[in-house]
C-alpha cells in the first residue's frame, strides 16, 4: 500500500465500494424481476455479493487495503495503521463511491437515479444482528491477515455469504453500504430513518471485534506450553 499515493488509494476505495454496492443493489433488482420467492431472491442477492468481494479485495487490496467499509477503516485507524486524516478521506470516498454504485445499478435497470427506500429494517434483533455481523467481519479480517493473508479475499467473501443467512439483518456490516442502500427502494433497500441504529451497531460490533482479536492474537510466545514429560524431570 505504501507504493501508492493517497489519491490512487482513495480512487480504489471509491471504485471498489461503488462496484460492491452496484452488485448488491443490482442483483437484488434482478432477483425481484425473476422470482417472487423471497428465499430464492435472497440467495440470488447473496452469491454475487460474496463473489464480487473476492474479486474486489484481490484487485484493490494491494492498492488501498480494500476496506470499502468505514467500520473496517475505523479498526485500522484504531490499530494505528492508518492516520486519522487519511481515514477520514477513506470514509468520504467509500460513502461517495457507494452512492455512485446505487446510481449505476438504477441506471442499468432503467430506474430513477435515486429513490429513497421505504423498506423497514429496525428493532433490537436487527441491531444486534448488525453488531454480530460487523464483529465477525473484523475477526475474519484480522485473523486472516495474521495467519493466511493471501486467503483474506476468500475468507471475507465466504464470511459475508454465510452472514447473509445467519443474521436477521442479512449482514450489511458496512455503514457506507447501508447509506447507499437507503437510496434504493428495491430489494436491498433500508429506510433512511433506520440508518442510525444500523450504523451504530456496526461500529460497536467492529470495535468489539478489534478489541477481542487484538487480545486473542496478541504476540506469539517464544515457546508453547511445556510438555508434561518435561515437567517431571
Amino acid at each position: 500500500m505504501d507504493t501508492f499515493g493517497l489519491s490512487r488509494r482513495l480512487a480504489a476505495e471509491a471504485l471498489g465500494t461503488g462496484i460492491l454496492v452496484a452488485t448488491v443493489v443490482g442483483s437484488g433488482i434482478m432477483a425481484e424481476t425473476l422470482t417472487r420467492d423471497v428465499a430464492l431472491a435472497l440467495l440470488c442477492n447473496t452469491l454475487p455479493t460474496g463473489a464480487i468481494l473476492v474479486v474486489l479485495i484481490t484487485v484493490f487490496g494491494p492498492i488501498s487495503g480494500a476496506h470499502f467499509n468505514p467500520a473496517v477503516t475505523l479498526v485500522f485507524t484504531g490499530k494505528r495503521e492508518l492516520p486519522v486524516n487519511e481515514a477520514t478521506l477513506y470514509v468520504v470516498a467509500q460513502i461517495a463511491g457507494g452512492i455512485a454504485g446505487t446510481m449505476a445499478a438504477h441506471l442499468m435497470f432503467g430506474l430513477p437515479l435515486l429513490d429513497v427506500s421505504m423498506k423497514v429494517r429496525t428493532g433490537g434483533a436487527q441491531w444486534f444482528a448488525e453488531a454480530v455481523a460487523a464483529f465477525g467481519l473484523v475477526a475474519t479480517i484480522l485473523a486472516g491477515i495474521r495467519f493466511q493473508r493471501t486467503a483474506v479475499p476468500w475468507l471475507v467473501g465466504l464470511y459475508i455469504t454465510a452472514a447473509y443467512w445467519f443474521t436477521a439483518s442479512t449482514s450489511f456490516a458496512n455503514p457506507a453500504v447501508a447509506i447507499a442502500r437507503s437510496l434504493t427502494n428495491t430489494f436491498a433497500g433500508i429506510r433512511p430513518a433506520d440508518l442510525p441504529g444500523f450504523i451504530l451497531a456496526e461500529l460497536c460490533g467492529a470495535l468489539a471485534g478489534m478489541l477481542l482479536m487484538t487480545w486473542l492474537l496478541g504476540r506469539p510466545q517464544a515457546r508453547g506450553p511445556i510438555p508434561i514429560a518435561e515437567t517431571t524431570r
Side-chain angles (χ1 to χ4, degrees):
M1 196 190 320
D2 293 339
T3 60
F4 292 90
L6 180 59
S7 61
R8 287 183 172 84
R9 286 187 278 141
L10 295 176
E13 285 297 302
L15 181 57
T17 310
I19 295 173
L20 172 59
V21 171
T23 302
V24 173
V25 174
S27 62
I29 296 170
M30 179 66 83
E32 280 189 317
T33 302
L34 297 177
T35 182
R36 294 181 181 275
D37 185 326
V38 178
L40 181 57
L42 182 60
L43 181 62
C44 294
N45 194 211
T46 303
L47 297 179
T49 302
I52 201 65
L53 278 168
V54 176
V55 174
L56 294 175
I57 296 171
T58 300
V59 171
F60 294 116
I63 301 174
S64 68
H67 297 184
F68 313 140
N69 186 336
V72 173
T73 297
L74 176 64
V75 166
F76 284 104
T77 304
K79 291 175 67 63
R80 299 183 181 179
E81 295 183 19
L82 188 68
V84 173
N85 61 323
E86 292 187 7
T88 301
L89 294 174
Y90 263 49
V91 171
V92 172
Q94 291 157 1
I95 293 172
I99 293 171
T102 294
M103 295 168 67
H106 283 187
L107 284 172
M108 288 190 287
F109 287 92
L111 299 177
L113 203 58
L114 294 173
D115 190 9
V116 176
S117 178
M118 301 296 290
K119 191 162 188 174
V120 178
R121 298 181 189 263
T122 190
Q126 294 272 311
W127 300 332
F128 178 66
E130 275 304 285
V132 170
F135 175 92
L137 175 61
V138 168
T140 299
I141 292 169
L142 295 181
I145 290 172
R146 172 68 178 277
F147 299 120
Q148 196 65 260
R149 183 178 289 268
T150 57
V152 169
W154 288 96
L155 293 173
V156 172
L158 289 170
Y159 173 78
I160 291 297
T161 298
Y164 251 86
W165 287 86
F166 77 73
T167 63
S169 62
T170 67
S171 185
F172 285 42
N174 186 329
V177 169
I179 291 169
R181 289 172 67 165
S182 74
L183 300 173
T184 179
N185 194 28
T186 61
F187 183 81
I190 175 176
R191 288 189 313 176
D194 298 333
L195 281 177
F198 262 57
I199 292 173
L200 180 60
E202 289 158 0
L203 295 177
C204 288
L207 287 173
M210 180 190 75
L211 292 173
L212 178 62
M213 296 308 291
T214 298
W215 170 79
L216 186 61
L217 297 174
R219 289 187 176 183
Q221 295 179 349
R223 183 180 181 185
I226 300 174
I228 294 176
E230 291 191 19
T231 64
T232 61
R233 292 178 183 174

